[in-house]
Amino acid sequence: MEEKLQQILNEFKENEGNLTILTGAGISVESGIPTFRGADGYWTVGSVNYQFQQIGTFTFFEDKPLESWKWFLYRKGVCGRSKPNLGHMAVVDFEKHLQDRFRLITQNVDGLHLLAGNSEEKTFQVHGNINQMRCSKECSYDIYDIPDKVQVPDRNASLTDEMIKLLCCPKCKAMTRPHVLWWDESYNEHHFRIHSTRAWVDQTDLLITVGTSASANVACTTVYQVKDNGGSLIDINPAYSPLGDIAKHSHSGTQCTGTSSEYLPIIRDFLLS
Ligand SMILES: [Zn+2]
């Protein structure tokens, strides 16, 4: 293990501080969840090709709710066929051992952390969860699991009348929407616990960022918040990430060039032994 990494982990162990792990798409790549860059990055409606930045908006949902749902159910199907990997399993062990000294912040909506065994209580799903839905008219803040019967077998399948019925709000019968943060929406406490996330980050002694870049707002602000409070930073990424640079240049930080399934088990074995 690199000397700097060992030094940071030793210090954390001695001080018995609070650990935050923040994950991005990189941790799920090894579970086979494709990024939006390839063939999954667009959606055809009639003769128009939409990019995911257009489909993943409330504006698109308002205009074409059923097309929006088809796209999300297709993505949900891809996530549903994926399994947590060694990186996800290591994150579960951190929660099991550190309990109240641990929180997970994930930008992923694939639900793999909860499937692996992390608790909803200690997991801030700041971008939502693709397996859940809520009322599009906001008649309440309730969040519902998307019924199992609602699924599309492939990109070209249509939603049946029964599925559409199951996608209605149990309270007011309006259409529900996927419980995810769309590109034209902002973080909030009632759906995404963003203030609770910020409050926890203030108590963080060691932040490990995994497979995420600085392009996501929440990743960048979290890293700076911990750094400004004097906490330690570890960035795990197989490719270049500006977060790695920030970590390296902070008073106590390092960058691990590798995948989450390589590094998280190593860090777990060291910290929890
Ligand atoms: Zn409703």
Side-chain angles (χ1 to χ4, degrees), residues 1 5-6 9-10 12-13 19 21 86-87 89-95 97-98 206 208 234 236 260-273:
M1 186 186 288
L5 178 59
Q6 198 166 344
L9 296 179
N10 268 328
F12 176 80
K13 244 174 140 170
L19 171 68
I21 295 187
L86 292 175
M89 299 321 291
V91 178
V92 175
D93 291 334
F94 285 116
E95 175 170 340
H97 284 80
L98 298 173
L206 170 60
I208 305 178
I234 296 172
I236 302 174
S260 45
S261 65
E262 278 171 63
Y263 271 99
L264 283 175
I266 293 173
I267 293 173
R268 172 200 57 200
D269 294 347
F270 188 88
L271 271 191
L272 307 180
S273 62

Side-chain angles (χ1 to χ4, degrees), residues 28-100:
S28 294
V29 166
E30 288 168 89
S31 290
I33 296 189
T35 63
F36 288 106
R37 290 188 193 90
D40 284 325
Y42 68 90
W43 194 251
T44 309
V45 182
S47 57
V48 183
N49 266 335
Y50 291 92
Q51 297 297 315
F52 73 91
Q53 293 98 329
Q54 296 168 290
I55 311 163
T57 58
F58 186 66
T59 309
F60 184 89
F61 175 84
E62 275 193 305
D63 190 32
K64 298 181 173 63
L66 295 183
E67 285 298 331
S68 171
W69 260 118
K70 263 172 69 175
W71 154 258
F72 274 92
L73 290 170
Y74 170 72
R75 290 285 303 177
K76 178 179 179 286
V78 173
C79 296
R81 289 187 286 278
S82 306
K83 301 231 173 346
N85 61 53
L86 292 175
H88 293 104
M89 299 321 291
V91 178
V92 175
D93 291 334
F94 285 116
E95 175 170 340
K96 258 191 223 157
H97 284 80
L98 298 173
Q99 294 285 329
D100 281 342

Side-chain angles (χ1 to χ4, degrees), residues 118-133:
N118 282 109
S119 70
E120 260 184 272
E121 184 210 342
K122 292 189 168 63
T123 304
F124 295 112
Q125 301 182 89
V126 290
H127 290 170
N129 186 321
I130 205 163
N131 299 311
Q132 296 177 318
M133 61 187 197

